[in-house]
Amino acid sequence: MKALVYHGPGAKSWEQVADPAIQDPTDCIVRVETTTICGTDLHILKGDVAAVTDGRILGHEGVGTVTEVGAAVTNFSVGDRVIISCVTSCGTCSYCRRGLTSHCQTVGGIGWILGHLINGTQAEYVRIPYANSSLYHLPEGVTDEQGLFISDILPTGYEIGVRDGGVRPGDVVAVVGAGPVGLAAMMTAGLHGASRIIALDLDDNRLEAARRDFGATHAVNSGDADWAEQVKALTDGLGVDVAIEAVGVPSTFAAALALVRPGGQVANVGVHGKAVELPLHEKWIDNIRISMGLVNAVTGDMLLRMVAEGKLPAEKLATHRFTLDQIDQAYDVFGHAARHGALKVVMTAG
Ligand SMILES: [Zn+2]
Ligand SMILES: [Zn+2]
């Protein structure tokens, strides 16, 4: 088969590799029909994720058809259309049993293994360990593209941003960063009754999309000199109840911290590549909480129902489409997303 193989920082190629095979009775093989690129893949290509080594097939999102099942797979059969979760969970270790599947201890001590510790989904076929608890059936009425965003983006924005951020009815929420994950947080903040959802970004096109399609009620360009005052003017003057950081650089974390009101919460969703500053000498007195983490993807079934009922416009995240063998072009567009007006790029099997 063909796959997108990582060859060290800055190097990748779409090349011929061996087909994946069942290794354990809990494995499935899935033919990948729709996949995408995550900001995390760009971090990997920069060399930020040391665990990804030369020869690894990238990708942790996808929709496809089961082509082979191991003897212990009971929930899925050959021919089933499935969504691949970005988190692989055994379902039985102590972390999985308490819903913290992101720390499933069975394969490498972390739930995110696809395109990280084992070969991923930017390929014609992928092996999915612990298939019983790591795939979803693609429901009738949900398109491949809608399902694709259940792999990672929607659960990440919702679980780590909105849910773990403690958004409650009436809250004013700021989301710093209107990329795909930030938009997913905006899209799902309404599920918890946020009264105002303020989008922040440097890119006016993304801010416009945030307001038009993804539930933001207000938008502030964080390049404006008075961006913080503009946001605070949309509250009672004290700041937002929950500030969601959805970029992963020191300045956006600092922005989230600057916007949160006393008693509020900063929810960090971004994947950081270097240390951030935490001015505890100023903030200790504010009774704020800071949360962070890797998605567990345990809300995928709920989010799928909301998508199926038309309550979450997941499909609007897809802006550019390619075939799998055009993946280099897709990386180029996603890597220069602002220039191309790109949110998520979608690749489909030819
Ligand atoms: Zn991802
Ligand atoms: Zn587990």
Side-chain angles (χ1 to χ4, degrees):
M1 69 164 185
K2 289 271 193 120
L4 198 273
V5 182
Y6 174 75
H7 290 299
K12 61 171 166 49
S13 73
W14 177 249
E15 63 190 43
Q16 194 70 34
V17 296
D19 285 356
I22 300 276
Q23 293 177 15
D24 295 302
T26 46
D27 290 351
C28 263
I29 305 296
V30 175
R31 177 180 189 264
V32 178
E33 282 144 359
T34 310
T35 185
T36 180
I37 303 168
C38 181
T40 306
D41 298 320
L42 301 182
H43 277 285
I44 292 170
L45 277 166
K46 274 199 266 170
D48 286 348
V49 188
V52 182
T53 51
D54 188 358
R56 179 80 66 251
I57 299 171
L58 298 184
H60 50 263
E61 296 157 275
V63 169
T65 300
V66 174
T67 57
E68 255 182 278
V69 293
V73 175
T74 51
N75 291 352
F76 298 93
S77 314
V78 171
D80 283 356
R81 310 258 10 259
V82 292
I83 300 166
I84 298 163
S85 176
C86 66
V87 168
T88 304
S89 60
C90 73
T92 57
C93 75
S94 64
Y95 277 109
C96 284
R97 283 159 49 145
R98 55 192 253 232
L100 212 59
T101 51
S102 54
H103 291 274
C104 177
Q105 290 295 299
T106 315
V107 189
I110 192 85
W112 169 45
I113 59 171
L114 287 174
H116 179 206
L117 306 181
I118 67 167
N119 284 334
T121 57
Q122 289 167 11
E124 292 177 314
Y125 292 88
V126 61
R127 178 179 72 93
I128 303 296
Y130 299 104
N132 278 332
S133 42
S134 307
L135 295 171
Y136 308 90
H137 289 280
L138 181 72
E140 284 289 313
V142 174
T143 66
D144 284 25
E145 284 190 3
Q146 290 173 321
L148 181 61
F149 303 129
I150 297 293
S151 285
D152 176 352
I153 297 300
L154 278 174
T156 297
Y158 173 67
E159 291 177 17
I160 306 301
V162 175
R163 189 194 63 178
D164 294 357
V167 175
R168 290 176 299 185
D171 278 358
V172 177
V173 176
V175 181
V176 183
V181 172
L183 293 171
M186 294 173 210
M187 215 192 301
T188 53
L191 300 178
H192 283 218
S195 61
R196 285 187 167 178
I197 301 169
I198 307 163
L200 287 98
D201 203 283
L202 292 165
D203 181 349
D204 281 327
N205 291 323
R206 286 190 164 190
L207 291 174
E208 195 194 315
R211 286 207 298 181
R212 186 186 59 229
D213 295 329
F214 299 102
T217 57
H218 300 77
V220 171
N221 191 307
S222 39
D224 292 353
D226 63 341
W227 61 271
E229 288 73 26
Q230 289 185 47
V231 174
K232 287 189 181 174
L234 294 167
T235 72
D236 56 5
L238 292 175
V240 302
D241 297 288
V242 180
I244 297 175
E245 195 286 340
V247 181
V249 297
S251 62
T252 48
F253 182 78
L257 211 51
L259 294 177
V260 73
R261 66 194 286 117
Q265 181 162 340
V266 171
N268 182 83
V269 187
V271 176
H272 288 264
K274 57 180 168 190
V276 302
E277 205 166 306
L278 180 58
L280 277 180
H281 63 300
E282 292 167 3
K283 288 294 179 185
W284 72 270
I285 203 168
D286 278 354
N287 300 67
I288 60 172
R289 294 171 304 283
I290 300 176
S291 56
M292 64 195 79
L294 176 64
V295 67
N296 295 297
V298 291
T299 61
D301 289 314
M302 178 277 283
L303 293 166
L304 254 179
R305 278 199 299 281
M306 301 307 278
V307 168
E309 295 300 323
K311 309 280 190 202
L312 296 173
E315 65 283 355
K316 292 192 168 143
L317 288 164
T319 55
H320 291 67
R321 292 167 182 83
F322 300 91
T323 55
L324 256 181
D325 59 5
Q326 295 173 317
I327 195 162
D328 277 326
Q329 226 178 309
Y331 263 94
D332 192 56
V333 167
F334 189 64
H336 303 93
R339 190 195 305 161
H340 295 279
L343 296 174
K344 289 292 269 184
V345 300
V346 174
M347 290 91 71
T348 49

